[in-house]
Amino acid sequence: MKYRFLLIILLFISATIVCQSKTNKLKPAKIGVLYNYGANENFIFDDPDYTYTTKTIKAQAFYELANWKKLNFELIVQPQIQFLNHQLLNKWFVTPDQDNVQEKIAEFTQPKKMNLYGVEFGFVVKKKLISKLDIQGGISLGFNYIDTRTERLAKGFTFTENFSLGFSYNVFKKSFIYLGTNFGHVSNLDFQKPNDGYNILGIDIGYSFEI
């Protein structure tokens, strides 16, 4: 399973490079910034074992890939930092078969402030609804480093996967605002233990402009 996922990652990166080379543009069409707030506690899912929230700031570079019928395809490169808050609520999540159980329970049940640093590559499909309003959906994959271990995820290298849906509005001649929602997941593909990961549902607010 691990090697299959790595193959998918390589194909993802290869497709990104191929699509970008076909545009013959190293300069992005737009640049921008996006703010995201997400949480485990939401109306779709709410894991009672833990609390988890994230506040994310992303710099964005938009590259036009292709047009097909009434759809526009973009690549978004997004270096980012995430400010995370986490606490284990169910101490029995730390099972007796683990080493140093009491020490881990004492450590993991304390509230934690953590940071995640990374870069994310997103593919976006856009469709115009009216003259200045587009609907867009996207999938993205990120490569990151998280600076603190918890009962759910080891410190170190992680992946992020995001699925987003939202609206982009052309407020001025070359300026755009974006409002949307996203589902996100963080894990490390069992490169380290533990690897239960985190899930969030969040909101996105972004601003971008053509260059």
Side-chain angles (χ1 to χ4, degrees):
M1 178 64 185
K2 182 186 296 186
Y3 298 107
R4 188 177 301 172
F5 188 77
L6 288 175
L7 178 60
I8 293 172
I9 292 173
L10 290 174
L11 290 173
F12 187 95
I13 295 172
S14 298
T16 299
I17 294 171
V18 169
C19 290
Q20 183 57 34
S21 65
K22 287 183 177 180
T23 66
N24 293 318
K25 294 180 181 178
L26 294 177
K27 180 181 177 181
K30 294 189 300 181
I31 58 174
V33 63
L34 182 138
Y35 173 81
N36 170 271
Y37 174 82
N40 165 70
E41 296 78 27
N42 57 74
F43 68 94
I44 295 180
F45 52 81
D46 181 359
D47 191 324
D49 288 333
Y50 70 100
T51 64
Y52 180 80
T53 61
T54 173
K55 298 176 181 178
T56 303
I57 299 174
K58 302 180 182 182
Q60 297 182 302
F62 298 78
Y63 296 88
E64 297 176 348
L65 296 180
N67 299 308
W68 181 70
K69 294 187 177 181
K70 295 184 178 181
L71 301 178
N72 298 316
F73 298 86
E74 290 182 339
L75 165 69
I76 310 178
V77 180
Q78 303 176 106
Q80 62 191 266
I81 180 170
Q82 298 187 19
F83 303 97
L84 314 172
N85 289 282
H86 168 77
Q87 184 178 12
L88 174 64
L89 301 179
N90 175 18
K91 69 178 183 178
W92 304 116
F93 189 88
V94 182
T95 55
D97 59 318
Q98 300 184 37
D99 296 331
N100 305 314
V101 172
Q102 293 304 319
E103 290 85 349
K104 286 183 177 179
I105 290 175
E107 175 187 352
F108 295 148
T109 53
Q110 296 300 311
K112 291 183 180 293
K113 293 184 180 295
M114 312 180 292
N115 293 326
L116 182 147
Y117 312 91
V119 60
E120 184 178 342
F121 301 89
F123 282 109
V124 171
V125 181
K126 300 173 65 176
K127 186 179 188 308
K128 189 171 294 294
L129 296 179
I130 56 177
S131 61
K132 292 187 176 184
L133 181 66
D134 294 344
I135 186 171
Q136 68 180 59
I139 59 172
S140 60
L141 177 66
F143 306 88
N144 318 280
Y145 174 85
I146 192 167
D147 66 2
T148 305
R149 75 168 188 169
T150 70
E151 80 289 346
R152 302 190 65 84
L153 193 64
K155 175 182 176 180
F157 180 74
T158 66
F159 295 101
T160 53
E161 302 92 42
N162 279 295
F163 303 88
S164 62
L165 181 67
F167 299 92
S168 176
Y169 185 73
N170 186 189
V171 286
F172 300 112
K173 184 177 180 180
K174 294 187 177 182
S175 298
F176 303 82
I177 57 172
Y178 172 79
L179 181 62
T181 185
N182 82 300
F183 167 76
H185 175 72
V186 182
S187 63
N188 64 34
L189 197 64
D190 287 336
F191 282 105
Q192 298 186 77
K193 295 291 186 179
N195 183 40
D196 294 284
Y198 308 109
N199 296 311
I200 64 158
L201 185 68
I203 58 170
D204 292 325
I205 302 173
Y207 171 77
S208 62
F209 59 93
E210 294 178 356
I211 57 175

